[in-house]
Amino acid sequence: MKTKKYHPYLHILCLFIIFNPYVYSQQQIEKLSRGLIAINRGNNEIFLSWRLLGTDPADLTFNIYRISENSKAIKLNNKPIKNSTNFIDTTANPTKKNSYYVSPVINNKMLPPSQKYSIYPNSPIQQYISIPLKTPQNYTPNDASVGDLDGDGDYEIILHQVGISKDNSQSGKTTPALLEAYKLDGTFLWRINLGKNIREGAHYTQFIVYDLDGDGKAEIACKTADGSIDANGKVIGNKDTDYRNSKGYILAGPEYLTIFDGLTGVELATTDYIPPRGKVSNWGDNYGNRVDRFLGFVAYLDGNRPSLIMSRGYYTRSVIAAWDFRDGKLTNRWTFDSDYSESNNKYAGQGNHGVSVGDIDNDGKDEIIFGACTIDDDGKGLYSTGLGHGDAMHLADIDPTRKGLEVFAIHEHCKHDHGVNLRDAATGEILWSLPSPDVGRGLAADIDPRYKGYECWTSGKNISGLYNCKGIKISDKRPNSCNMAIWWDGDLSRELLNDITIDKWQFEDSTSQRLLTATDCASNNSTKANPCLYADMFGDWREEVIWRTKDNKTLRIYTTTIPTSHKFPTLMHDHIYRMSVTWQNTGYNQPTQTGFYLGSQ
């Protein structure tokens, strides 16, 4: 497959134009390490990959060093590495321990080196690192998130362990939801048990991992109830009460919002959950389906510091509450209620099973794309398209020929002609649309380098083919996968992530080529077939994938070992991308997206 080669510095320049408002303002961003990783590729090749940071100057270069068993450091590159952040060591002896570190260089001056990363004698030839789990009997590793829990610049993994779960539409009792934390070296940190009064399921158990108070260490935030137990054994509320009714629904009893310390799992602050359930039937039914549809995410509502956002309802009434966690206390910043006023009524029934967050009106503050409607940073409605509920949407610079960002959205059970649509993120204006009575999945990603912008496709009824960012059909065939997209190989197009596989779309003949199969692994959430998490967790700007093994005893973090000549700062320092990782586990897991155009043209 031949693709046009583009100079990497054109994209670096665009990237830093996007980053500069965040880097040089007072906005809180994560302080990350170089995230160096070393993987045995076989044939006596060790693949090395590390981070360029969003705070780095564009002309930063690197030297890479190997420390052999005699503790002598050997520089591996002849000239400073300037056009990439990866390197292949072909001179190592894989039968011996090899340790590596990378040293940044600016104006011929050496900056502090990275932490060392060691690869041990006869390390297996594989594209993943393994993390052993303490999975309880009859539980399965499910969604995960990442955050720097100890402030060392490296991410830890927070894992949701699931026993018996139920959809909101299903009766029956569930087992308690468990949250666990692990370091990348496999160290088990803690377990939180949310207790019998938190029902288990994709729509109930939303957990957020982020540094909410700005101390350099991430916290854990989630809904709790009487009987929730922190990692130290402290019980929240009354440990003896059981509010489950005969059908397993929890329609009575107090509801709380709790912040846990990320490093220890200890409760830091608990307050009443907003909004309370009130009268169950006010949410659209009387048996407990719509009242317990929750979402959780993070937004920078003041432009500088993160706020925690928790919501309830999206099929009918929707209530969104913004919280600040400062100096150990939770404070409600604002609450938006679609039932509050006549002008708010048009926001009812417009929510999705997920959200997106970003500054769409260029005021330096985040807005909340809550499905078919958008809430401004001050907690007031910005606009509602009135197109109703959908299972998927994507906020990104989908059409880079236009100013600003776009939202690609799909809708279920449509009573209009916009079942698939692209809208202006700031105004809600429909830029193009396709009619379909019911669309279950949709994806936007650059997979065809012949066209500038992202391609769009769906699984909708009466819709076939692949469309460019202008809504023009470019192929009668579409990828079989309509799930997630990932930056994996060496070019700037995205690959297709589905179940335990990664495929490359072959645009010349509209077929897919298999790049990776995660043998002995399993995906999550039934037909959703998503990994535990995927994100730019370490190494260069490309993304890693976390899958569980079939026996539920291990997490595997897969990373690419394909060299690339493109050099970008870590995607985790792009604001919209970082927010998308934060909310990825919420509801129906959705793909990451960047706030700048990252594509083949």
Side-chain angles (χ1 to χ4, degrees), residues 293-532:
R293 300 274 177 161
F294 300 102
L295 299 172
F297 45 102
V298 171
Y300 283 60
L301 300 175
D302 64 2
N304 296 322
R305 301 185 69 181
S307 295
L308 173 67
I309 319 292
M310 304 296 283
S311 72
R312 182 176 222 140
Y314 40 74
Y315 285 137
T316 49
R317 180 188 180 192
S318 295
V319 182
I320 306 166
W323 298 87
D324 292 337
F325 181 58
R326 310 282 188 260
D327 301 320
K329 297 181 180 180
L330 271 167
T331 304
N332 181 224
R333 174 181 281 264
W334 52 251
T335 301
F336 174 89
D337 188 342
S338 64
D339 279 5
Y340 177 73
S341 65
E342 185 175 349
S343 62
N344 278 11
N345 289 163
K346 62 184 177 181
Y347 293 85
Q350 304 303 310
N352 277 17
H353 296 294
V355 299
S356 287
V357 170
D359 177 14
I360 60 172
D361 56 8
N362 204 31
D363 66 353
K365 303 174 183 179
D366 282 340
E367 284 71 46
I368 298 163
I369 297 82
F370 197 73
C373 64
T374 294
I375 310 302
D376 210 346
D377 57 83
D378 59 1
K380 299 178 181 178
L382 188 61
Y383 66 81
S384 174
T385 66
L387 298 180
H389 168 76
D391 279 5
M393 65 178 178
H394 307 277
L395 170 69
D397 192 4
I398 295 169
D399 183 352
T401 67
R402 297 184 69 257
K403 183 179 180 180
L405 303 175
E406 295 80 35
V407 176
F408 179 66
I410 60 171
H411 302 276
E412 290 184 317
H413 312 302
C414 301
K415 297 180 180 179
H416 51 74
D417 293 330
H418 307 292
V420 176
N421 62 83
L422 187 76
R423 75 178 191 251
D424 184 291
T427 66
E429 175 191 0
I430 303 299
L431 303 175
W432 57 263
S433 66
L434 302 170
S436 176
D438 190 28
V439 189
R441 292 193 180 189
L443 186 56
D446 180 28
I447 61 171
D448 191 331
R450 297 173 297 183
Y451 302 90
K452 190 176 182 66
Y454 290 2
E455 283 68 52
C456 304
W457 66 103
T458 76
S459 62
K461 293 181 179 179
N462 304 329
I463 295 180
S464 63
L466 184 65
Y467 295 80
N468 68 10
C469 67
K470 300 295 185 181
I472 300 170
K473 182 184 282 190
I474 60 175
S475 173
D476 289 330
K477 295 182 179 180
R478 63 191 178 196
N480 291 329
S481 170
C482 194
N483 196 356
M484 293 187 168
I486 184 171
W487 282 288
W488 184 261
D489 68 5
D491 62 27
L492 299 180
S493 297
R494 292 194 94 171
E495 285 65 60
L496 305 173
L497 169 61
N498 183 56
D499 195 15
I500 59 169
T501 64
I502 296 175
D503 289 347
K504 182 75 172 179
W505 178 247
Q506 304 295 301
F507 58 87
E508 300 97 331
D509 59 2
S510 298
T511 60
S512 295
Q513 176 189 0
R514 182 62 41 84
L515 299 183
L516 175 73
T517 298
T519 305
D520 297 325
C521 289
S523 59
N524 291 327
N525 302 319
S526 185
T527 59
K528 304 299 183 290
N530 54 263
C532 299

Side-chain angles (χ1 to χ4, degrees), residues 50-100:
W50 61 93
R51 290 187 183 111
L52 182 70
L53 303 176
T55 52
D56 285 333
D59 56 349
L60 192 70
T61 61
F62 296 93
N63 289 326
I64 189 82
Y65 294 86
R66 183 182 70 236
I67 304 174
S68 59
E69 289 183 332
N70 63 9
S71 299
K72 182 179 180 181
I74 303 171
K75 185 161 74 81
L76 300 179
N77 52 297
N78 295 324
K79 296 181 180 179
I81 301 169
K82 66 177 182 178
N83 291 329
S84 70
T85 51
N86 54 76
F87 183 86
I88 296 178
D89 180 12
T90 60
T91 62
N93 183 345
T95 66
K96 297 182 178 180
K97 178 181 176 180
N98 295 286
S99 297
Y100 296 90

